[in-house]
Amino acid sequence: MSGTRGESKPGLKDRLTDGLYGLGWGAVKKLPEPVAQALFRTLADQVWRRRGKSVLRLESNLARVVPDASPARLAELSRAGMRSYMRYWMESFRLPTWSPERIKAGIDVSEAHRLTDGLDAGRGVILALPHLANWDLAGAWVTTDMKVPFTTVAERLKPESLYDRFVAYREGLGMEVLPHTGGSAFGTLARRLRDGGLVCLVSDRDLSASGVEVTFFGDTARMPAGPALLAQQTGALLLPVTLRYDGTPVMKARIHPAVEVPESGTRTEKTSVMTQALADAFAVGIAEHPEDWHMLQRLWLADLEPREEQP
């Protein structure tokens, strides 16, 4: 009997999770924007006041980013962080209804020439981003304002229906979405890049055995090797991107200088150097606006449970 109950709980939880996301995409986009903003700000404050695991983990991560912050300052940052995180969800639920003009008005991109020059040269471009502000909005800007399609990778979510919702949502914004698992994503990404295409990857957290160890805010974390390996194998331009909110309706984006492939060293050594360079660029953007870094999970190796460190 206990085994039966144990199996039913995940099914119920999965259906509830899927239903809530479905409600978000179905209902939130119909609300007047000021109403949606107020609703999600209130929700953020309620979640923050409950001091659950996600909020405590966010505060712990922020303590590494801002090591001299007092407890009061950390609490202030985590509250602002939850508001930023909920703004991401509010915008994401509404993005499918935004016109190209609304998307263009919602983002201000600096150093965009680094992206356009790379694409014009026909060498392929990899944009690597951390979990800052709203990466989906940045992607929608690329596909609608620049009119450039791109390929990305999505983590398999449970339930499968929820993963399907995210794929449909991002494909509706003009993205080609590949599953993270299955082994074929890397080859497809490489082909897109060799054809002069664009690949966008969220790249600030990797708990797999293939993750590259980097120094990040003074301690060791793992980040994915994919961006550096793709750049080496295809000759594509590797550009770090950071995003931020600034209290206005317009999100700011910055395209950083390219991460170059080292002239010497083994593939492993080159990958390590390049991934560290990505981490350093991410750290610049995160340090400037730590409240917009939506890292509500464990990241640094010292924080990981032993079971998470296994291959």
mmCIF file of all heavy atoms in Angstrom, residues 162-208:
data_model
loop_
_atom_site.group_PDB
_atom_site.id
_atom_site.type_symbol
_atom_site.label_atom_id
_atom_site.label_comp_id
_atom_site.label_asym_id
_atom_site.label_seq_id
_atom_site.Cartn_x
_atom_site.Cartn_y
_atom_site.Cartn_z
ATOM 1 N N LEU A 162 5.098 19.297 -19.355
ATOM 2 C CA LEU A 162 5.629 20.617 -19.034
ATOM 3 C C LEU A 162 6.794 20.950 -19.967
ATOM 4 O O LEU A 162 6.901 22.075 -20.468
ATOM 5 C CB LEU A 162 6.078 20.667 -17.573
ATOM 6 C CG LEU A 162 6.685 21.993 -17.104
ATOM 7 C CD1 LEU A 162 5.705 23.144 -17.306
ATOM 8 C CD2 LEU A 162 7.105 21.896 -15.636
ATOM 9 N N TYR A 163 7.659 19.971 -20.209
ATOM 10 C CA TYR A 163 8.749 20.173 -21.168
ATOM 11 C C TYR A 163 8.173 20.549 -22.536
ATOM 12 O O TYR A 163 8.664 21.464 -23.198
ATOM 13 C CB TYR A 163 9.596 18.905 -21.274
ATOM 14 C CG TYR A 163 10.602 18.933 -22.394
ATOM 15 C CD1 TYR A 163 11.781 19.659 -22.272
ATOM 16 C CD2 TYR A 163 10.365 18.248 -23.589
ATOM 17 C CE1 TYR A 163 12.701 19.690 -23.308
ATOM 18 C CE2 TYR A 163 11.284 18.276 -24.628
ATOM 19 C CZ TYR A 163 12.450 19.001 -24.484
ATOM 20 O OH TYR A 163 13.359 19.047 -25.508
ATOM 21 N N ASP A 164 7.107 19.853 -22.945
ATOM 22 C CA ASP A 164 6.480 20.150 -24.236
ATOM 23 C C ASP A 164 5.946 21.581 -24.265
ATOM 24 O O ASP A 164 6.000 22.251 -25.308
ATOM 25 C CB ASP A 164 5.355 19.160 -24.514
ATOM 26 C CG ASP A 164 5.869 17.745 -24.766
ATOM 27 O OD1 ASP A 164 7.063 17.600 -25.088
ATOM 28 O OD2 ASP A 164 5.071 16.789 -24.632
ATOM 29 N N ARG A 165 5.409 22.048 -23.138
ATOM 30 C CA ARG A 165 4.916 23.436 -23.075
ATOM 31 C C ARG A 165 6.058 24.420 -23.316
ATOM 32 O O ARG A 165 5.913 25.397 -24.059
ATOM 33 C CB ARG A 165 4.282 23.718 -21.713
ATOM 34 C CG ARG A 165 2.906 23.127 -21.497
ATOM 35 C CD ARG A 165 2.324 23.660 -20.191
ATOM 36 N NE ARG A 165 1.128 22.948 -19.801
ATOM 37 C CZ ARG A 165 -0.094 23.235 -20.221
ATOM 38 N NH1 ARG A 165 -0.267 24.220 -21.081
ATOM 39 N NH2 ARG A 165 -1.133 22.544 -19.795
ATOM 40 N N PHE A 166 7.209 24.181 -22.664
ATOM 41 C CA PHE A 166 8.336 25.093 -22.824
ATOM 42 C C PHE A 166 8.873 25.064 -24.252
ATOM 43 O O PHE A 166 9.240 26.101 -24.800
ATOM 44 C CB PHE A 166 9.439 24.747 -21.818
ATOM 45 C CG PHE A 166 9.277 25.435 -20.501
ATOM 46 C CD1 PHE A 166 8.655 24.805 -19.446
ATOM 47 C CD2 PHE A 166 9.728 26.736 -20.321
ATOM 48 C CE1 PHE A 166 8.494 25.444 -18.233
ATOM 49 C CE2 PHE A 166 9.567 27.389 -19.108
ATOM 50 C CZ PHE A 166 8.951 26.738 -18.060
ATOM 51 N N VAL A 167 8.935 23.876 -24.836
ATOM 52 C CA VAL A 167 9.410 23.786 -26.217
ATOM 53 C C VAL A 167 8.465 24.545 -27.145
ATOM 54 O O VAL A 167 8.903 25.326 -27.999
ATOM 55 C CB VAL A 167 9.540 22.313 -26.649
ATOM 56 C CG1 VAL A 167 9.786 22.226 -28.156
ATOM 57 C CG2 VAL A 167 10.675 21.637 -25.891
ATOM 58 N N ALA A 168 7.164 24.334 -26.977
ATOM 59 C CA ALA A 168 6.188 25.021 -27.821
ATOM 60 C C ALA A 168 6.269 26.532 -27.636
ATOM 61 O O ALA A 168 6.172 27.306 -28.600
ATOM 62 C CB ALA A 168 4.781 24.520 -27.511
ATOM 63 N N TYR A 169 6.439 26.961 -26.389
ATOM 64 C CA TYR A 169 6.550 28.390 -26.086
ATOM 65 C C TYR A 169 7.753 28.999 -26.805
ATOM 66 O O TYR A 169 7.639 30.026 -27.491
ATOM 67 C CB TYR A 169 6.665 28.562 -24.570
ATOM 68 C CG TYR A 169 7.312 29.831 -24.092
ATOM 69 C CD1 TYR A 169 6.754 31.080 -24.353
ATOM 70 C CD2 TYR A 169 8.485 29.786 -23.343
ATOM 71 C CE1 TYR A 169 7.351 32.246 -23.889
ATOM 72 C CE2 TYR A 169 9.085 30.941 -22.873
ATOM 73 C CZ TYR A 169 8.517 32.168 -23.148
ATOM 74 O OH TYR A 169 9.114 33.316 -22.688
ATOM 75 N N ARG A 170 8.912 28.353 -26.689
ATOM 76 C CA ARG A 170 10.114 28.920 -27.295
ATOM 77 C C ARG A 170 10.104 28.785 -28.811
ATOM 78 O O ARG A 170 10.585 29.682 -29.512
ATOM 79 C CB ARG A 170 11.358 28.280 -26.662
ATOM 80 C CG ARG A 170 11.521 28.715 -25.195
ATOM 81 C CD ARG A 170 12.796 28.259 -24.557
ATOM 82 N NE ARG A 170 12.968 28.953 -23.278
ATOM 83 C CZ ARG A 170 13.084 28.350 -22.108
ATOM 84 N NH1 ARG A 170 13.043 27.026 -22.039
ATOM 85 N NH2 ARG A 170 13.234 29.055 -20.991
ATOM 86 N N GLU A 171 9.552 27.698 -29.315
ATOM 87 C CA GLU A 171 9.428 27.587 -30.768
ATOM 88 C C GLU A 171 8.479 28.640 -31.309
ATOM 89 O O GLU A 171 8.673 29.156 -32.415
ATOM 90 C CB GLU A 171 8.966 26.177 -31.140
ATOM 91 C CG GLU A 171 10.048 25.118 -30.951
ATOM 92 C CD GLU A 171 9.587 23.729 -31.340
ATOM 93 O OE1 GLU A 171 8.349 23.520 -31.422
ATOM 94 O OE2 GLU A 171 10.449 22.857 -31.542
ATOM 95 N N GLY A 172 7.465 28.995 -30.523
ATOM 96 C CA GLY A 172 6.550 30.049 -30.930
ATOM 97 C C GLY A 172 7.220 31.407 -31.013
ATOM 98 O O GLY A 172 6.740 32.311 -31.717
ATOM 99 N N LEU A 173 8.351 31.568 -30.306
ATOM 100 C CA LEU A 173 9.121 32.803 -30.365
ATOM 101 C C LEU A 173 10.176 32.764 -31.478
ATOM 102 O O LEU A 173 10.953 33.706 -31.618
ATOM 103 C CB LEU A 173 9.809 33.062 -29.018
ATOM 104 C CG LEU A 173 8.878 33.278 -27.818
ATOM 105 C CD1 LEU A 173 9.688 33.391 -26.532
ATOM 106 C CD2 LEU A 173 8.009 34.521 -28.011
ATOM 107 N N GLY A 174 10.204 31.664 -32.235
ATOM 108 C CA GLY A 174 11.113 31.575 -33.372
ATOM 109 C C GLY A 174 12.402 30.824 -33.113
ATOM 110 O O GLY A 174 13.334 30.881 -33.925
ATOM 111 N N MET A 175 12.478 30.096 -31.992
ATOM 112 C CA MET A 175 13.690 29.365 -31.652
ATOM 113 C C MET A 175 13.568 27.898 -32.065
ATOM 114 O O MET A 175 12.493 27.312 -31.980
ATOM 115 C CB MET A 175 13.940 29.422 -30.137
ATOM 116 C CG MET A 175 13.854 30.799 -29.530
ATOM 117 S SD MET A 175 14.000 30.739 -27.719
ATOM 118 C CE MET A 175 13.481 32.428 -27.294
ATOM 119 N N GLU A 176 14.678 27.299 -32.472
ATOM 120 C CA GLU A 176 14.754 25.850 -32.631
ATOM 121 C C GLU A 176 15.268 25.282 -31.312
ATOM 122 O O GLU A 176 16.346 25.661 -30.845
ATOM 123 C CB GLU A 176 15.706 25.469 -33.766
ATOM 124 C CG GLU A 176 15.831 23.959 -33.940
ATOM 125 C CD GLU A 176 16.907 23.551 -34.939
ATOM 126 O OE1 GLU A 176 17.840 24.358 -35.176
ATOM 127 O OE2 GLU A 176 16.807 22.428 -35.479
ATOM 128 N N VAL A 177 14.510 24.380 -30.711
ATOM 129 C CA VAL A 177 14.835 23.874 -29.377
ATOM 130 C C VAL A 177 15.195 22.400 -29.451
ATOM 131 O O VAL A 177 14.418 21.581 -29.949
ATOM 132 C CB VAL A 177 13.645 24.069 -28.412
ATOM 133 C CG1 VAL A 177 14.020 23.603 -27.001
ATOM 134 C CG2 VAL A 177 13.206 25.530 -28.389
ATOM 135 N N LEU A 178 16.376 22.072 -28.949
ATOM 136 C CA LEU A 178 16.844 20.690 -28.909
ATOM 137 C C LEU A 178 16.833 20.184 -27.470
ATOM 138 O O LEU A 178 17.140 20.953 -26.545
ATOM 139 C CB LEU A 178 18.272 20.585 -29.460
ATOM 140 C CG LEU A 178 18.536 21.183 -30.837
ATOM 141 C CD1 LEU A 178 20.018 21.071 -31.170
ATOM 142 C CD2 LEU A 178 17.695 20.491 -31.899
ATOM 143 N N PRO A 179 16.525 18.919 -27.235
ATOM 144 C CA PRO A 179 16.590 18.383 -25.877
ATOM 145 C C PRO A 179 18.032 18.224 -25.422
ATOM 146 O O PRO A 179 18.911 17.868 -26.215
ATOM 147 C CB PRO A 179 15.890 17.021 -25.995
ATOM 148 C CG PRO A 179 16.067 16.640 -27.419
ATOM 149 C CD PRO A 179 16.044 17.920 -28.214
ATOM 150 N N HIS A 180 18.273 18.510 -24.140
ATOM 151 C CA HIS A 180 19.623 18.418 -23.584
ATOM 152 C C HIS A 180 20.124 16.987 -23.585
ATOM 153 O O HIS A 180 21.311 16.726 -23.774
ATOM 154 C CB HIS A 180 19.630 18.984 -22.164
ATOM 155 C CG HIS A 180 20.994 19.042 -21.547
ATOM 156 N ND1 HIS A 180 21.515 18.024 -20.793
ATOM 157 C CD2 HIS A 180 21.957 19.994 -21.595
ATOM 158 C CE1 HIS A 180 22.737 18.354 -20.380
ATOM 159 N NE2 HIS A 180 23.022 19.538 -20.859
ATOM 160 N N THR A 181 19.222 16.043 -23.351
ATOM 161 C CA THR A 181 19.599 14.632 -23.296
ATOM 162 C C THR A 181 19.414 13.983 -24.671
ATOM 163 O O THR A 181 18.738 14.516 -25.538
ATOM 164 C CB THR A 181 18.734 13.887 -22.268
ATOM 165 O OG1 THR A 181 17.342 14.087 -22.598
ATOM 166 C CG2 THR A 181 18.993 14.396 -20.865
ATOM 167 N N GLY A 182 20.046 12.835 -24.818
ATOM 168 C CA GLY A 182 19.875 12.092 -26.066
ATOM 169 C C GLY A 182 21.133 12.024 -26.906
ATOM 170 O O GLY A 182 21.265 11.186 -27.787
ATOM 171 N N GLY A 183 22.095 12.946 -26.665
ATOM 172 C CA GLY A 183 23.396 12.847 -27.309
ATOM 173 C C GLY A 183 23.508 13.480 -28.677
ATOM 174 O O GLY A 183 24.612 13.596 -29.222
ATOM 175 N N SER A 184 22.407 13.896 -29.296
ATOM 176 C CA SER A 184 22.484 14.418 -30.658
ATOM 177 C C SER A 184 22.545 15.942 -30.712
ATOM 178 O O SER A 184 22.796 16.509 -31.782
ATOM 179 C CB SER A 184 21.271 13.945 -31.469
ATOM 180 O OG SER A 184 20.068 14.456 -30.910
ATOM 181 N N ALA A 185 22.323 16.615 -29.579
ATOM 182 C CA ALA A 185 22.252 18.076 -29.590
ATOM 183 C C ALA A 185 23.558 18.698 -30.061
ATOM 184 O O ALA A 185 23.559 19.622 -30.884
ATOM 185 C CB ALA A 185 21.882 18.610 -28.208
ATOM 186 N N PHE A 186 24.697 18.204 -29.568
ATOM 187 C CA PHE A 186 25.981 18.829 -29.905
ATOM 188 C C PHE A 186 26.223 18.786 -31.410
ATOM 189 O O PHE A 186 26.629 19.788 -32.007
ATOM 190 C CB PHE A 186 27.119 18.132 -29.159
ATOM 191 C CG PHE A 186 28.444 18.826 -29.302
ATOM 192 C CD1 PHE A 186 28.844 19.792 -28.395
ATOM 193 C CD2 PHE A 186 29.301 18.531 -30.364
ATOM 194 C CE1 PHE A 186 30.062 20.443 -28.532
ATOM 195 C CE2 PHE A 186 30.517 19.172 -30.511
ATOM 196 C CZ PHE A 186 30.902 20.133 -29.583
ATOM 197 N N GLY A 187 25.967 17.637 -32.036
ATOM 198 C CA GLY A 187 26.187 17.522 -33.470
ATOM 199 C C GLY A 187 25.302 18.469 -34.262
ATOM 200 O O GLY A 187 25.750 19.075 -35.246
ATOM 201 N N THR A 188 24.042 18.620 -33.840
ATOM 202 C CA THR A 188 23.130 19.537 -34.529
ATOM 203 C C THR A 188 23.591 20.975 -34.369
ATOM 204 O O THR A 188 23.585 21.755 -35.336
ATOM 205 C CB THR A 188 21.702 19.374 -33.993
ATOM 206 O OG1 THR A 188 21.279 18.019 -34.163
ATOM 207 C CG2 THR A 188 20.736 20.299 -34.715
ATOM 208 N N LEU A 189 24.005 21.347 -33.162
ATOM 209 C CA LEU A 189 24.506 22.701 -32.930
ATOM 210 C C LEU A 189 25.729 22.979 -33.799
ATOM 211 O O LEU A 189 25.855 24.062 -34.387
ATOM 212 C CB LEU A 189 24.860 22.888 -31.450
ATOM 213 C CG LEU A 189 23.705 22.811 -30.448
ATOM 214 C CD1 LEU A 189 24.246 22.838 -29.018
ATOM 215 C CD2 LEU A 189 22.720 23.967 -30.653
ATOM 216 N N ALA A 190 26.621 22.009 -33.875
ATOM 217 C CA ALA A 190 27.826 22.194 -34.692
ATOM 218 C C ALA A 190 27.461 22.400 -36.163
ATOM 219 O O ALA A 190 28.053 23.246 -36.848
ATOM 220 C CB ALA A 190 28.753 20.991 -34.525
ATOM 221 N N ARG A 191 26.487 21.642 -36.657
ATOM 222 C CA ARG A 191 26.071 21.816 -38.059
ATOM 223 C C ARG A 191 25.488 23.198 -38.290
ATOM 224 O O ARG A 191 25.764 23.833 -39.327
ATOM 225 C CB ARG A 191 25.054 20.734 -38.436
ATOM 226 C CG ARG A 191 25.667 19.350 -38.621
ATOM 227 C CD ARG A 191 24.690 18.409 -39.306
ATOM 228 N NE ARG A 191 23.499 18.152 -38.499
ATOM 229 C CZ ARG A 191 23.435 17.216 -37.561
ATOM 230 N NH1 ARG A 191 24.495 16.458 -37.290
ATOM 231 N NH2 ARG A 191 22.314 17.015 -36.888
ATOM 232 N N ARG A 192 24.672 23.676 -37.357
ATOM 233 C CA ARG A 192 24.090 25.015 -37.509
ATOM 234 C C ARG A 192 25.193 26.066 -37.582
ATOM 235 O O ARG A 192 25.126 27.018 -38.375
ATOM 236 C CB ARG A 192 23.144 25.314 -36.344
ATOM 237 C CG ARG A 192 21.960 24.361 -36.206
ATOM 238 C CD ARG A 192 20.958 24.524 -37.337
ATOM 239 N NE ARG A 192 19.834 23.628 -37.144
ATOM 240 C CZ ARG A 192 19.742 22.394 -37.626
ATOM 241 N NH1 ARG A 192 20.744 21.903 -38.368
ATOM 242 N NH2 ARG A 192 18.681 21.644 -37.397
ATOM 243 N N LEU A 193 26.204 25.916 -36.747
ATOM 244 C CA LEU A 193 27.283 26.899 -36.708
ATOM 245 C C LEU A 193 28.139 26.838 -37.973
ATOM 246 O O LEU A 193 28.537 27.872 -38.517
ATOM 247 C CB LEU A 193 28.150 26.682 -35.474
ATOM 248 C CG LEU A 193 27.457 26.993 -34.134
ATOM 249 C CD1 LEU A 193 28.277 26.463 -32.971
ATOM 250 C CD2 LEU A 193 27.225 28.497 -33.974
ATOM 251 N N ARG A 194 28.412 25.638 -38.454
ATOM 252 C CA ARG A 194 29.209 25.517 -39.687
ATOM 253 C C ARG A 194 28.474 26.114 -40.880
ATOM 254 O O ARG A 194 29.099 26.538 -41.859
ATOM 255 C CB ARG A 194 29.554 24.048 -39.944
ATOM 256 C CG ARG A 194 30.553 23.476 -38.947
ATOM 257 C CD ARG A 194 31.074 22.127 -39.393
ATOM 258 N NE ARG A 194 32.006 21.574 -38.419
ATOM 259 C CZ ARG A 194 31.700 20.620 -37.538
ATOM 260 N NH1 ARG A 194 30.466 20.103 -37.526
ATOM 261 N NH2 ARG A 194 32.605 20.181 -36.689
ATOM 262 N N ASP A 195 27.148 26.161 -40.792
ATOM 263 C CA ASP A 195 26.342 26.784 -41.846
ATOM 264 C C ASP A 195 26.220 28.293 -41.651
ATOM 265 O O ASP A 195 25.467 28.952 -42.375
ATOM 266 C CB ASP A 195 24.943 26.164 -41.881
ATOM 267 C CG ASP A 195 24.954 24.729 -42.397
ATOM 268 O OD1 ASP A 195 25.925 24.348 -43.078
ATOM 269 O OD2 ASP A 195 23.989 23.991 -42.101
ATOM 270 N N GLY A 196 26.948 28.844 -40.671
ATOM 271 C CA GLY A 196 26.914 30.279 -40.424
ATOM 272 C C GLY A 196 25.765 30.725 -39.545
ATOM 273 O O GLY A 196 25.448 31.918 -39.488
ATOM 274 N N GLY A 197 25.153 29.799 -38.828
ATOM 275 C CA GLY A 197 23.996 30.112 -38.009
ATOM 276 C C GLY A 197 24.340 30.602 -36.613
ATOM 277 O O GLY A 197 25.509 30.796 -36.250
ATOM 278 N N LEU A 198 23.291 30.773 -35.822
ATOM 279 C CA LEU A 198 23.397 31.315 -34.470
ATOM 280 C C LEU A 198 22.925 30.267 -33.468
ATOM 281 O O LEU A 198 21.888 29.623 -33.660
ATOM 282 C CB LEU A 198 22.545 32.585 -34.345
ATOM 283 C CG LEU A 198 22.461 33.254 -32.962
ATOM 284 C CD1 LEU A 198 23.832 33.748 -32.527
ATOM 285 C CD2 LEU A 198 21.471 34.416 -33.009
ATOM 286 N N VAL A 199 23.687 30.131 -32.380
ATOM 287 C CA VAL A 199 23.342 29.238 -31.284
ATOM 288 C C VAL A 199 23.365 30.049 -29.993
ATOM 289 O O VAL A 199 24.293 30.835 -29.766
ATOM 290 C CB VAL A 199 24.348 28.061 -31.195
ATOM 291 C CG1 VAL A 199 24.248 27.345 -29.854
ATOM 292 C CG2 VAL A 199 24.120 27.091 -32.337
ATOM 293 N N CYS A 200 22.340 29.891 -29.166
ATOM 294 C CA CYS A 200 22.268 30.598 -27.879
ATOM 295 C C CYS A 200 22.168 29.567 -26.757
ATOM 296 O O CYS A 200 21.294 28.688 -26.803
ATOM 297 C CB CYS A 200 21.061 31.524 -27.831
ATOM 298 S SG CYS A 200 21.081 32.806 -29.106
ATOM 299 N N LEU A 201 23.030 29.692 -25.749
ATOM 300 C CA LEU A 201 23.088 28.707 -24.676
ATOM 301 C C LEU A 201 23.190 29.391 -23.315
ATOM 302 O O LEU A 201 24.048 30.260 -23.116
ATOM 303 C CB LEU A 201 24.307 27.791 -24.859
ATOM 304 C CG LEU A 201 24.363 26.984 -26.169
ATOM 305 C CD1 LEU A 201 25.726 26.323 -26.317
ATOM 306 C CD2 LEU A 201 23.247 25.952 -26.221
ATOM 307 N N VAL A 202 22.308 29.009 -22.392
ATOM 308 C CA VAL A 202 22.436 29.447 -21.003
ATOM 309 C C VAL A 202 23.507 28.574 -20.368
ATOM 310 O O VAL A 202 23.387 27.347 -20.355
ATOM 311 C CB VAL A 202 21.096 29.339 -20.259
ATOM 312 C CG1 VAL A 202 21.255 29.796 -18.808
ATOM 313 C CG2 VAL A 202 20.037 30.181 -20.968
ATOM 314 N N SER A 203 24.575 29.196 -19.844
ATOM 315 C CA SER A 203 25.819 28.454 -19.623
ATOM 316 C C SER A 203 26.489 28.693 -18.276
ATOM 317 O O SER A 203 27.714 28.592 -18.160
ATOM 318 C CB SER A 203 26.823 28.822 -20.735
ATOM 319 O OG SER A 203 26.270 28.678 -22.015
ATOM 320 N N ASP A 204 25.720 29.000 -17.231
ATOM 321 C CA ASP A 204 26.374 29.277 -15.951
ATOM 322 C C ASP A 204 26.215 28.174 -14.913
ATOM 323 O O ASP A 204 26.591 28.363 -13.759
ATOM 324 C CB ASP A 204 25.873 30.602 -15.370
ATOM 325 C CG ASP A 204 24.368 30.648 -15.180
ATOM 326 O OD1 ASP A 204 23.668 29.798 -15.748
ATOM 327 O OD2 ASP A 204 23.883 31.558 -14.466
ATOM 328 N N ARG A 205 25.687 27.008 -15.310
ATOM 329 C CA ARG A 205 25.524 25.932 -14.320
ATOM 330 C C ARG A 205 25.569 24.585 -15.034
ATOM 331 O O ARG A 205 24.831 24.359 -15.977
ATOM 332 C CB ARG A 205 24.200 26.083 -13.574
ATOM 333 C CG ARG A 205 23.975 25.053 -12.461
ATOM 334 C CD ARG A 205 22.699 25.399 -11.697
ATOM 335 N NE ARG A 205 22.478 24.528 -10.554
ATOM 336 C CZ ARG A 205 21.673 23.469 -10.565
ATOM 337 N NH1 ARG A 205 21.027 23.150 -11.672
ATOM 338 N NH2 ARG A 205 21.521 22.729 -9.478
ATOM 339 N N ASP A 206 26.451 23.712 -14.564
ATOM 340 C CA ASP A 206 26.549 22.363 -15.129
ATOM 341 C C ASP A 206 26.986 21.421 -14.020
ATOM 342 O O ASP A 206 28.097 21.553 -13.493
ATOM 343 C CB ASP A 206 27.549 22.327 -16.282
ATOM 344 C CG ASP A 206 27.514 21.001 -17.032
ATOM 345 O OD1 ASP A 206 27.016 19.999 -16.485
ATOM 346 O OD2 ASP A 206 27.989 20.974 -18.170
ATOM 347 N N LEU A 207 26.133 20.490 -13.678
ATOM 348 C CA LEU A 207 26.440 19.532 -12.626
ATOM 349 C C LEU A 207 26.833 18.177 -13.189
ATOM 350 O O LEU A 207 26.956 17.202 -12.447
ATOM 351 C CB LEU A 207 25.231 19.368 -11.695
ATOM 352 C CG LEU A 207 24.726 20.663 -11.052
ATOM 353 C CD1 LEU A 207 23.558 20.375 -10.139
ATOM 354 C CD2 LEU A 207 25.839 21.361 -10.295
ATOM 355 N N SER A 208 27.010 18.076 -14.492
ATOM 356 C CA SER A 208 27.341 16.798 -15.103
ATOM 357 C C SER A 208 28.830 16.506 -14.942
ATOM 358 O O SER A 208 29.633 17.361 -14.563
ATOM 359 C CB SER A 208 26.984 16.817 -16.589
ATOM 360 O OG SER A 208 27.888 17.645 -17.297
#
